[in-house]
Amino acid sequence: IYDRKTDFRLYCLVTDFTSSGTVLLYREGLVRSCKLPYDLSEEGIAVAQRHLTNNCINKVTGKDDKYGGGRNNWCLYDFEKWLGTQDKPYSFQSIWEGFCALAVATVRSAAPTITAECERLGVCGVAEPQENVGLRCFEVFAMDVLVDGSGKPWLLEVNTNPGLHGSHPSGVVQPRKQDVFSCLLADVWSIVLSSLEGQPWPEAHLSRFHAMPLYPA
């Protein structure tokens, strides 16, 4: 985007790792870009702000920044609008479908290990049948993803304890992050608490996720 390296941070809620489990990919996320243009020259390769999108590395830039108000974070909605103005061989919908497939494959690959550890600790998911009493758990995963020139997503890493505060390490508030995180937390807690109470997931909150079965029916 604007000649800057960009990645996507996606948020995935999992309340049950059993065969009937559901992967809930949040429909909003962060689009994080480097402060400086991408540069593979001998001089440019040594500059972290050209190659790493982490917010702790890319401090707030000037007010004339194309990302709006000097911020290097967009939300997915901003990216979708921008992509609609570009001549690319892919669409936002095709990228989103790739994100969804990647989320399911990633959670599924880790599910056996997580399930075995839960059994060892006597813990079960909050959405499992209510007769499974005892400690209950859920997880919000943060997936960092790159999209290549053909629109295909590639997983960089998965964070199990993502930061969900809307400010830069310098203390500057970042509105895009605040907007995403405040809604995400409200929606996550609504679904988790409904699960604990044995109630259906509230549609108003569930609609902001893309729900997919962890395993094929």
Side-chain angles (χ1 to χ4, degrees):
I1 298 177
Y2 296 126
D3 298 322
R4 304 180 189 195
K5 184 177 180 181
T6 301
D7 73 7
F8 298 79
R9 169 154 286 195
L10 310 174
Y11 296 93
C12 186
L13 170 63
V14 183
T15 59
D16 176 5
F17 286 94
T18 66
S19 59
S20 60
T22 302
V23 178
L24 298 164
L25 183 63
Y26 205 55
R27 295 184 183 274
E28 260 302 0
L30 296 179
V31 184
R32 308 180 305 177
S33 296
C34 290
K35 176 181 178 180
L36 301 174
Y38 192 64
D39 184 355
L40 287 176
S41 68
E42 184 174 350
E43 179 181 337
I45 201 72
V47 181
Q49 289 171 319
R50 297 188 187 278
H51 301 280
L52 299 176
T53 62
N54 308 61
N55 286 315
C56 60
I57 294 173
N58 293 280
K59 296 182 179 180
V60 177
T61 59
K63 292 183 179 181
D64 59 346
D65 191 284
K66 294 179 182 179
Y67 292 83
R71 309 298 189 257
N72 289 328
N73 287 291
W74 281 359
C75 62
L76 285 179
Y77 176 71
D78 297 322
F79 173 72
E80 182 178 9
K81 288 197 304 180
W82 174 83
L83 188 60
T85 68
Q86 306 298 304
D87 183 20
K88 301 288 186 181
Y90 48 80
S91 65
F92 178 81
Q93 181 61 31
S94 66
I95 292 177
W96 176 253
E97 290 171 359
F99 287 163
C100 291
L102 187 62
V104 171
T106 300
V107 175
R108 188 181 296 168
S109 69
T113 301
I114 295 174
T115 299
E117 186 66 8
C118 286
E119 291 177 353
R120 186 184 73 82
L121 297 172
V123 176
C124 66
V126 294
E128 290 187 39
Q130 293 300 301
E131 59 266 21
N132 293 342
V133 296
L135 295 174
R136 308 180 77 81
C137 66
F138 68 94
E139 184 66 74
V140 176
F141 296 104
M143 300 170 49
D144 292 343
V145 179
L146 280 177
V147 174
D148 67 18
S150 68
K152 180 179 179 179
W154 296 85
L155 181 67
L156 292 175
E157 65 175 354
V158 178
N159 297 275
T160 58
N161 188 27
L164 295 174
H165 50 84
S167 61
H168 187 273
S170 66
V172 176
V173 173
Q174 295 181 303
R176 282 294 186 264
K177 293 176 70 175
Q178 278 195 327
D179 292 344
V180 172
F181 293 162
S182 59
C183 291
L184 171 64
L185 289 170
D187 294 333
V188 165
W189 281 116
S190 176
I191 288 175
V192 167
L193 293 176
S194 296
S195 297
L196 287 173
E197 295 169 356
Q199 300 297 319
W201 292 339
E203 183 59 33
H205 296 277
L206 181 60
S207 65
R208 288 195 277 268
F209 292 88
H210 185 84
M212 300 163 286
L214 178 55
Y215 295 101

